[in-house]
Amino acid sequence: MQFMLLFSRQGKLRLQKWYVPLSDKEKKKITRELVQTVLARKPKMCSFLEWRDLKIVYKRYASLYFCCAIEDQDNELITLEIIHRYVELLDKYFGSVCELDIIFNFEKAYFILDEFLLGGEAQETSKKNVLKAIEQADLLQEVRHLIKITPN
Amino acid sequence: MALKIVKGSIDRMFDKNLQDLVRGIRNHKEDEAKYISTCIDEIKQELKQDNIAVKANAVCKLTYLQMLGYDVSWAAFNIVEVMSSSKFTYKRIGYLAASQCFHESTDVIMLTTNQIRKDLSSPNQYDTGVALTGLSCFVTPDLARDLANDIMTLMSHTKPYIRKKAVLIMYKVFLKYPESLRPAFPRLKEKLEDPDPGVQSAAVNVICELARRNPKNYLSLAPLFFKLMTSSTNNWVLIKIIKLFGALTPLEPRLGKKLIEPLTNLIHSTSAMSLLYECVNTVIAGQYWFSVGSKELCVQKLRILIEDSDQNLKYLGLLAMSKILKTHPKSVQSHKDLILQCLDDKDESIRLRALDLLYGMVSKKNLMEIVKKLMLHVDKAEGTTYRDELLTKIIDICSQSNYQYITNFEWYISILVELTRLEGTRHGHLIASQMLDVAIRVKAIRVFAVAQMATLLDNAHLLTGNMQRNGICEVLYAAAWICGEFSEHLENPMQTLEAMLRPKVATLPGHIQAVYVQNAAKLFATILKSQEGNTDSTAAQDTSQLMIDRLPLFVQSANLEVQERASCILQLVKYIQKLQQKDVEVAEEVNALFAGELNPVAPKAQKKVPVPEGLDLDAWINEPPSESESEDEQPKAIFAKEEPKHSRPRHTEVDEKELARRREARKQEQANNPFYIKASPSSQKVYQDAPGVEHIPVVQIDLSVPLKVPGLPMSDQYVKLEEERRQKERAEKKKKEKKKRKEKRSGRGKKHDSGPESEEDITPAHQVDIVTEEMPEVKENHSSKFSNIFFLHLLFWVCDDKKSSKHKKKKQKKEKEEKEKKKKKKHHHHHHHSDGGGEESVQNGTVEEEEPLPVSLSHRLINPQVVYDIQGNLQDGSQVVVSVIFENKCDSFLKSMEFNVLDSLNSKLQRPEGSGPHDGLTVPFQLPPGVSNEARFVFTVQSIVMPQKLKGTLTFIVKVDSSTHEKLDFKLHFTCTSYLITTPCYSDAFAKLLESGDLKGSSVRLEGVNMPFHHLLARICFHHHFSIVERIDSCASMYSRSIQGHHVCLLVKTSGQTVSIDAKCDEPTLLGNVLDEIKQTFSQC
């Protein structure tokens, strides 16, 4: 996978993760172009499109579009599954996730994604393991906080 | 929940945390930029504080702003500070910020090496995890080199959580620092058998990605992966392994045989569509067709995908189906019904995929049916883009492989005509090129095509609602051309002629008008021919009058092409009218203007043209691009396999690419040319690629009247006809078979298969005229005019070698013609006067024959406006070179030719030193029958102010059985204009010249010049070597220069039919003579 973008129906970017080194300018250009293309598609259309030399796989969940760019030989269906799996993880973590959860806790959304994908490859296929890792890391953060707060 | 507590604690500690920022931005929708700039100021203040918690909060906010598109690169160092915090909370935020904001050119990354190393070896696995995750995003070659060992160690970490991250990140390290691959590989291979499935899957991922780049090195792992494939139940892992095998099989075909069984098992058993799709794709890509039933299985599974209600599966099914189609069109063809159904899908991308498939599925049998379905869709289609796509596909489908599948061209023409009804399409030129192509190549269709095109022309107003923007009017281009070129087939040519000369035509685009005008002339010629046979001569005169009445409209056209053709034809018709009034029969001659047939040229015809001597097609015209782009500047190859690509000599690569590109360009050019037979159906795509076409706004007009061209046959009737025809054929066949069977009944009663007919059984109603190898022979109609046995061209021009190549071409062409003529003649009479000289255009000199001779002369003064040799190696303006082409037109051998000119005081033939003033010059070659050659003779001219005629003789020996001496007298005419050189002059220089007062004036009046002013100017420029300095309305200033540097200035004015020329020159005699010559030119016309 080359990159993943989350954006709203209004075209506002909510999350971006790039697995290929690109300059900020290029990233912005690609984002703008793709958001436009995907939003222009009709709801009944299939989730795949050919874009430059990449394949774009996107799916809409409520008001959010999840959009991934994969290479020619990659499997579109497994990419859809990755998107779905990520949505499930967000849902489990936030408890029935909505767009606002991701806006206000965007760093958490990144942490979850980083536990699930690494360098563009799925690193953990088990939902349970991902969530366990996140919760433990959060706890670690929490414990340290409590320790830090108490002396104050 | 833990998260909530964290949130609360941060809330309490800071004035404005991330949530406040987000909320603030949402509340300041109007002045977002302003609000954010104040926030950034706050953040800058926060970053200056020593409190790491405040800093971390600021960095977290920056990360959010970065996503919104703000530049935060200035805070890179602060991010590193937060990363270095010992507290996980802050470290986590720091690494996140780094992974989002850092890239290879961020310089502070160099400072992070030790910090990352420390974090990697942290006892806390989450510290390590966070560092690895961050590193995967911003790893640079330096970091990869410095940390490769640390990460390698982590691959054997006790915790699987770390191991799997370390394995995955190794892939990024390999990419940045390829040297690390060799030492790390054994450990990576080991991880394929890791007890933890997550680590194992990570290792499979990495090796699969590596193998996709360079499969060769991973062949040895095939058995291990095979084991994994048969044992694993994890679909994610299976997909990767299958992909890996997909990359390996091309290198080791034996793998395919081993793989096909587990693959088919998976295809049968799996319920996961992603895995099924991967397997099917691998089977297709690997061409495992040796296995019985694998093809059927794939097609069957794909059918299930396409039938699924899920759009995604439908789309992928069609995509994979098109891959099978490339190799096995037959197995896909049986699913035609399904594909046609997809055309009704509401998803456009699915419809387009289905269209792609249909292209490959047509056969002679189903073409009409498929196209009929497509035509229905064209009518229904909403949106011009999809409709245009349908249109191009219909034409693509029909025209592919040289119209291989078309059995009835009347049907195809009707389809094309029906397509012209499409409103707002931008593919008018595509339809037009098809009409032209078919009409030219399918001779049998011409009668029908002409009738259809005539109807189109007649109803042109229906097509041309809002003309200019409407691409469909391009078809009128084809219609006009076809009606003109094949006008002998027209039923009512007069009606068509009138349709072509309607005033409304003037609103069409220029290039179409030009074709209208030209073809009106062709029609006119045909009509004349039919009318002249009649006793009533007024009809023919009426036709001429019609032309004369209507053409002036086009003469006024702003388009040069239209104007030029119209005025040319108008003059011609006027002349014809004059002749008609004198009761002269002209039809024959007028028809001769357009005689001859256009033949298609085979793509290979170029091969038949010999490469001229001395032309090396492989030699570089320009210096080849230097190889200075040195190889050490190139980034080091990532993997061993990529190296050969770089080490290959650069220019050969360019060469190949370049060749391929040129070949492609040439193909496209040929494809666009209707006179080439296309090797592939790619021509249509060319139009699609035309730049910027999609940006042309297409106006949709809401017409209440349906846009139907009356009187056009519907293509459907052909479908029916075709069916009937086939049925009939089938019936006849059956009858025959029955007969046969009856005859054979006494023998074995073998049952005959009268099932569906095979492709070969379908006989085409029309045949495409396909010229494969032979070049069409040049038809020579004029041979009878040349009964001369010897042909001599005299070419003179003022010395300059640069221009001679131009004239050589002409010469070669001419020689060729002559030779052709020669071939046709078997026998010649020796003493035969000929009018061959009249064939050639007399330009600036005349060669006069003294008496009838066995020789005919033709001459042309080719290039007198040549640049005078500035280098001064020739004496100043005193030399003229006369080039003479000798051509032997008789059957005898000519030798000992001697060229001699009687010198005048002014002009002398330059003879070699030591020879007398009356000696002839030996022509340095002999002429076998039918051969021509060129010799040049230098003349010295002292004064150029007067025209000169030089008498000359050519003596030669004709060798038949016995040798006879022959003599040919001629005259060389050196006109004054031949001493002029076309020299451009700027108006200011021109004005200065006139003001200088050195020039003497003279003037001349030309009466009764009946031609447009610009034609007049063109004529002066062409025949007398002037250039136009300036032109204002009906007045123009012109300039020329003699080879001796005299300035000649003209001021040409016209009013009505009178042209006055005021001229100035520093040499009055020269001027007088030039003016006389100009006058003569115009008296001839």
Side-chain angles (χ1 to χ4, degrees), chain B residues 712-895:
Chain B
L712 299 179
M714 294 289 288
S715 57
D716 290 357
Q717 77 189 54
Y718 291 101
V719 182
K720 267 184 213 149
L721 276 175
E722 180 68 15
E723 270 164 19
E724 280 166 22
R725 191 171 70 91
R726 281 187 205 166
Q727 249 167 16
K728 225 161 116 191
E729 270 173 25
R730 225 174 289 160
E732 269 169 31
K733 216 165 109 190
K734 266 189 192 166
K735 253 188 225 162
K736 272 185 202 162
E737 277 168 14
K738 260 185 199 163
K739 258 185 205 165
K740 271 186 201 163
R741 254 182 276 167
K742 267 182 199 164
E743 283 160 15
K744 283 187 178 175
R745 196 164 278 173
S746 52
R748 282 176 297 158
K750 194 187 167 191
K751 222 181 181 182
H752 239 278
D753 183 22
S754 55
E757 61 210 310
S758 69
E759 278 285 286
E760 290 71 31
D761 293 340
I762 302 169
T763 49
H766 311 278
Q767 211 78 42
V768 191
D769 193 9
I770 299 171
V771 183
T772 46
E773 279 292 338
E774 296 306 313
M775 275 236 279
E777 213 173 293
V778 181
K779 276 200 185 138
E780 193 48 74
N781 302 322
H782 316 291
S783 54
S784 58
K785 287 185 188 166
F786 293 89
S787 40
N788 39 328
I789 54 154
F790 185 88
F791 213 86
L792 172 70
H793 314 259
L794 291 176
L795 299 147
F796 347 3
W797 77 99
V798 183
C799 216
D800 187 309
D801 277 343
K802 272 180 257 166
K803 296 268 174 171
S804 62
S805 60
K806 190 172 157 193
H807 117 88
K808 263 185 193 157
K809 263 185 221 156
K810 281 190 188 167
K811 190 190 84 187
Q812 276 172 356
K813 197 174 136 202
K814 201 152 160 195
E815 280 169 16
K816 215 170 158 188
E817 280 170 23
E818 299 307 331
K819 275 182 210 161
E820 297 273 357
K821 287 167 196 162
K822 180 104 198 349
K823 264 190 225 159
K824 307 243 164 180
K825 282 177 282 170
K826 293 270 148 103
H827 188 72
H828 307 276
H829 295 287
H830 259 249
H831 297 273
H832 204 293
H833 185 59
S834 126
D835 58 346
E839 233 335 79
E840 305 304 320
S841 64
V842 177
Q843 286 184 8
N844 265 309
T846 43
V847 174
E848 290 163 15
E849 287 168 49
E850 294 288 278
E851 54 191 89
L853 275 172
V855 183
S856 113
L857 290 178
S858 170
H859 66 280
R860 52 166 64 166
L861 192 75
I862 283 266
N863 226 345
Q865 76 268 42
V866 204
V867 185
Y868 174 67
D869 193 357
I870 310 155
Q871 290 179 337
N873 53 356
L874 293 166
Q875 282 142 34
D876 204 20
S878 62
Q879 280 195 337
V880 173
V881 170
V882 176
S883 164
V884 186
I885 293 176
F886 300 90
E887 177 160 359
N888 184 358
K889 305 265 306 170
C890 68
D891 293 332
S892 321
F893 198 88
L894 301 184
K895 61 176 196 177

Side-chain angles (χ1 to χ4, degrees), chain A residues 14 16 19 28 44 46-47 50 73 75 104 110 115 121 123-124 136 138 140-142 144, chain B residues 5-6 19 67 69 88-89 92 100 124 126 161 164 168 172 243 274 278 311-312 347 353:
Chain A
R14 295 300 179 211
Q16 52 170 347
Y19 299 110
K28 271 187 208 167
K44 285 286 162 67
C46 68
S47 301
E50 278 165 20
Q73 298 142 314
N75 189 318
F104 284 105
Y110 276 119
E115 284 301 327
E121 298 291 332
Q123 64 165 315
E124 185 53 73
Q136 277 177 351
D138 276 350
L140 193 64
Q141 195 173 350
E142 185 57 23
R144 299 253 179 110
Chain B
I5 305 166
V6 175
Q19 276 75 21
M67 184 171 72
F88 179 68
T89 317
R92 203 182 188 189
Q100 294 299 103
N124 183 333
Y126 293 104
Y161 177 78
K164 86 186 168 207
L168 277 177
K172 295 275 166 185
K243 215 179 267 300
S274 51
E278 191 66 48
Q311 303 284 40
N312 293 335
D347 184 348
R353 285 275 160 229

